[in-house]
Amino acid sequence: MGTEHDRELEEAGNGSPSTRGRPDRTGPRQVVPSADVEDEEARYLAPIGPTEPSDGRKTQSSEGHAPVVPVTTEELQRQITELEARLKRMLAGGPSPDASCAAGGEPETERSPRQGGAPAASAGFASEPPLSEPGTARDVLSTDFYLRQWGRAGLRRRSEEVDEFGFDPKYEARYRSLFDFLHRHYFRIELEGIERIPAEGRCLVVSNHSGGPIPYDGLMLRAAVRREHPARRELRWLADDFVYYLPFAGTIMNRLGAVRACQENAERLLAGERLIAVFPEGVKGSGKLYKERYQLQRFGRGGFIRLCLRTRTPLVPCAIVGAEETNPLFYRVEHLTRALGIPYLPITPTFPALGPLGLVPAPTKWKIRLADPVRFDAYGPEAADDQILVRRLAERVRATIQGLIDETLATRKSIWFG
């Protein structure tokens, strides 16, 4: 008995054909020869390195695996071109492109998820619902849903040529004909003293602020200088902080050329030899009631004077007459508007009675007058720290602008015809 059992174990260890592949009846273990183990490893382990030998014959480890096809430079360039085309069409608002086609072949058809098919996701882009496609009830009730939709709509009209302050030349060019119409036919702006603005170099235009819910003075001053200046200079104006909290107005003004009012932004503009305009009255100027029209408010702490002293910039006083009757402000609500981020809620003859239509300005006659430039070459940059000097110079500029306004009002016969 012992001899036969030893003989069976010896045959199993030597890999006898009679016992190959048969289970061991003495226990649950199964004896697998070494050749079978190598076959199993070759079958389930991924090959490392090239799967094709140099002589063109397949190795044992490459059996059952597709050969790796190298990607050529032309193929990679074609894929990159397709990805760029898809991205441009998505930003332009076009329909979602089909899956990539083979050379000379037809594009694959995309089945909608509502039809039971899986959406095609080519080049790693996940398909998104179009802008007009409604979401679920939970999405519609969420604020993020409308923010996403508005963001997508904004991206469709976004330009790649935006400067560091947010100005979009293509966006402005789209509405330039409207601004020209407002300048020539609607407000019929008369600009006097345009030659006092230098043809090049830095310059600061200081003007009074028009009253009303939306200040149009900066936009119209830019349009008037661009149309009537011999050098066709581009003017950038500093807008109050509250404008950026108005619905859509802050973004629109920023893309049309407005810059948020602060010393840093003004210094960066002047360092680039730009022409900029400031309205030192700030919110107090735009929030003047109709009975206070054309009465200049306090010019703050004279920040524009310190700016001119530090940067050696000439200052041109400016008076705008006619803008404060476009939306006459009868009353302003200030108690409940702080939580909304706006300084006041305007009450005009048409707003809020007519809703957004009440913000349309009246076609009054505008007159813009520019005085002789004021230079501060006699003072050094250290004079910007002298508070008494800064306030005295600011009051002098304020008196000059008030005098221009009074002279223009004295010669005006009508609000509508000048």
Side-chain angles (χ1 to χ4, degrees):
M1 292 291 294
T3 305
E4 294 178 357
H5 182 65
D6 294 341
R7 187 180 299 109
E8 290 180 358
L9 292 177
E10 183 179 359
E11 292 177 356
N14 294 332
S16 174
S18 61
T19 61
R20 181 174 300 175
R22 292 190 305 174
D24 187 5
R25 301 183 184 273
T26 60
R29 298 178 60 184
Q30 181 179 4
V31 179
V32 181
S34 58
D36 293 343
V37 173
E38 293 179 357
D39 293 341
E40 293 294 329
E41 292 179 353
R43 182 178 304 172
Y44 293 106
L45 294 180
I48 300 177
T51 57
E52 294 293 337
S54 59
D55 57 355
R57 295 176 300 175
K58 294 184 178 180
T59 61
Q60 184 179 1
S61 61
S62 63
E63 294 180 356
H65 298 276
V68 177
V69 180
V71 180
T72 61
T73 305
E74 292 78 6
E75 179 66 19
L76 183 60
Q77 183 66 28
R78 186 186 65 82
Q79 295 179 5
I80 293 176
T81 304
E82 290 182 356
L83 291 179
E84 292 177 350
R86 286 177 58 86
L87 184 59
K88 289 181 180 179
R89 294 187 62 180
M90 291 173 63
L91 294 178
S96 177
D98 297 331
S100 59
C101 308
E106 295 293 330
E108 296 182 4
T109 58
E110 263 187 350
R111 291 187 295 173
S112 172
R114 296 182 180 179
Q115 298 175 357
S122 173
F125 287 101
S127 60
E128 294 185 358
L131 187 64
S132 60
E133 181 178 350
T136 62
R138 182 178 299 178
D139 293 337
V140 173
L141 295 177
S142 175
T143 308
D144 296 337
F145 173 77
Y146 298 98
L147 293 177
R148 290 194 303 269
Q149 300 289 8
W150 175 252
R152 292 176 185 176
L155 287 176
R156 292 169 186 258
R157 300 179 177 91
R158 188 176 180 182
S159 174
E160 297 180 358
E161 301 177 2
V162 179
D163 68 358
E164 55 184 341
F165 299 101
F167 172 62
D168 190 342
K170 292 185 178 180
Y171 185 82
E172 189 206 25
R174 190 179 303 135
Y175 297 99
R176 185 167 296 178
S177 58
L178 173 63
F179 301 148
D180 293 341
F181 168 78
L182 294 176
H183 171 268
R184 179 181 297 179
H185 302 289
Y186 196 80
F187 294 128
R188 295 149 292 153
I189 298 177
E190 292 183 5
L191 184 57
E192 180 182 344
I194 188 62
E195 69 279 355
R196 296 185 171 108
I197 295 179
E200 59 182 7
R202 66 186 68 178
C203 182
L204 183 68
V205 178
V206 181
S207 175
N208 61 308
H209 218 352
S210 64
I214 297 181
Y216 300 95
D217 44 12
L219 191 61
M220 289 294 100
L221 183 60
R222 171 182 170 84
V225 172
R226 185 183 63 241
R227 284 182 55 88
E228 301 189 25
H229 195 274
R232 299 293 188 267
R233 296 203 62 176
E234 295 289 336
L235 180 139
R236 306 292 295 273
W237 77 98
L238 303 184
D240 302 323
D241 288 342
F242 85 94
V243 175
Y244 291 88
Y245 292 99
L246 298 176
F248 312 113
T251 303
I252 294 175
M253 290 292 183
N254 190 225
R255 299 177 71 178
L256 292 177
V259 180
R260 197 160 191 166
C262 69
Q263 289 285 327
E264 292 76 9
N265 288 340
E267 289 181 0
R268 290 168 62 188
L269 286 169
L270 293 177
E273 304 297 327
R274 303 286 190 89
L275 171 66
I276 64 175
V278 297
F279 303 91
E281 293 179 280
V283 180
K284 295 180 181 180
S286 61
K288 286 183 295 186
L289 299 179
Y290 184 70
K291 61 182 180 180
E292 302 172 343
R293 64 190 184 278
Y294 302 119
Q295 299 177 15
L296 292 182
Q297 304 298 309
R298 182 172 175 267
F299 273 15
R301 299 180 179 179
F304 65 99
I305 295 294
R306 290 196 296 270
L307 180 65
C308 292
L309 291 173
R310 282 197 300 265
T311 59
R312 301 293 184 92
T313 301
L315 184 150
V316 177
C318 175
I320 301 177
V321 174
E324 298 195 22
E325 289 93 359
T326 54
N327 290 107
L329 188 62
F330 290 163
Y331 188 75
R332 55 178 180 265
V333 180
E334 301 177 349
H335 302 290
L336 303 177
T337 58
R338 301 296 180 181
L340 301 177
I342 56 178
Y344 60 88
L345 179 65
I347 305 297
T348 69
T350 56
F351 184 84
L354 300 181
L357 189 61
L359 299 176
V360 177
T364 58
K365 174 74 173 181
W366 285 30
K367 291 185 178 181
I368 301 178
R369 296 186 61 185
L370 301 173
D372 293 329
V374 179
R375 299 186 180 274
F376 304 95
D377 298 336
Y379 308 96
E382 64 278 358
D385 299 329
D386 189 347
Q387 296 294 334
I388 298 177
L389 176 63
V390 168
R391 291 184 180 181
R392 187 173 71 248
L393 294 176
E395 186 62 28
R396 185 183 302 174
V397 174
R398 180 179 177 274
T400 302
I401 298 175
Q402 186 67 63
L404 289 175
I405 293 176
D406 296 339
E407 292 177 4
T408 306
L409 290 175
T411 58
R412 188 174 66 163
K413 299 180 181 180
S414 171
I415 297 176
W416 310 104
F417 303 105

